[in-house]
Amino acid sequence: MRMHHMLCISAAFIAPVAIAQVAAPPALKSEFVFEARVKVDPPLVVGPSSHGLRRVVPISGGTVSGPALNGVVVSGGADWQYVRPDGVLEVLAKYTLKADDGTLIMVDNRGVRQASPEVMARLTKGEIVPGEEYYFRTYAQFEAPAGSKYEWLNRAIFVGVAERLPDAAVIRFYKVN
């Protein structure tokens, strides 16, 4: 009994802890670095899988233009994608860029595209649908050669705002500062 009483008394002498004021986090800022117009061939439909409807979309070339990078998309990559049971499209595109000076840059670009079932059906049919009618965002990792003028791509986070055209994906890449 005495021990219980001591615990109650001890608790009464604990000083209140001051809650420190934390400054608001800095605003998220980004800067546009380049646009990739990635030409694609018709999708190869693998079929239903454990993740959903699986497709592979071959990448056949394209262009890269912007204030920080200009060049081409090298043929030979692909976008491995699946339509989840909830209708959301998940993408994983792996391809290579070739800068104007010949530097090769690897791209690993992942993201999601979602919209109403009607808009998703129009996109699947190859119709041109304005980008504001659906959500298509990606996050990319780049692998540029060490020591190259593009090495800065290895050291930052990039998000992409994408649009799907009948024969291409257009991704506008932004560096998160």
Side-chain angles (χ1 to χ4, degrees):
M1 180 108 157
R2 185 174 208 157
M3 186 179 222
H4 176 1
H5 181 55
M6 290 292 286
L7 289 175
C8 290
I9 292 174
S10 298
F13 291 105
I14 295 175
V17 176
I19 297 175
Q21 288 289 349
V22 178
L28 184 64
K29 295 179 182 177
S30 66
E31 66 179 290
F32 173 70
V33 289
F34 65 89
E35 174 183 285
R37 288 187 162 270
V38 182
K39 289 177 56 176
V40 295
D41 291 339
L44 306 170
V45 179
V46 176
S49 73
S50 58
H51 293 291
L53 176 63
R54 177 66 73 175
R55 299 187 296 224
V56 179
V57 181
I59 293 173
S60 58
T63 59
V64 177
S65 61
L69 179 63
N70 289 285
V72 297
V73 177
V74 177
S75 179
D79 181 0
W80 291 269
Q81 53 184 237
Y82 61 92
V83 181
R84 300 185 326 207
D86 64 359
V88 173
L89 176 75
E90 287 201 26
V91 300
L92 167 56
K94 291 183 175 252
Y95 52 100
T96 305
L97 306 177
K98 185 175 184 179
D100 282 348
D101 66 0
T103 303
L104 295 175
I105 302 163
M106 304 297 299
V107 182
D108 184 317
N109 196 26
R110 299 167 188 257
V112 296
R113 185 175 78 200
Q114 67 88 24
S116 68
E118 296 78 25
V119 169
M120 290 296 270
R122 289 172 51 208
L123 288 164
T124 301
K125 288 180 197 172
E127 291 181 25
I128 295 176
V129 179
E132 57 271 3
E133 291 189 32
Y134 56 97
Y135 180 89
F136 192 3
R137 303 293 184 268
T138 68
Y139 57 98
Q141 283 190 297
F142 297 98
E143 187 177 342
S148 74
K149 73 180 195 178
Y150 303 104
E151 188 173 25
W152 59 272
L153 288 164
N154 302 335
R155 299 183 180 133
I157 299 292
F158 297 86
V159 295
V161 176
E163 284 184 70
R164 182 65 162 97
L165 301 176
D167 64 348
V170 178
I171 308 105
R172 292 169 186 92
F173 288 103
Y174 295 82
K175 177 183 171 200
V176 178
N177 295 323

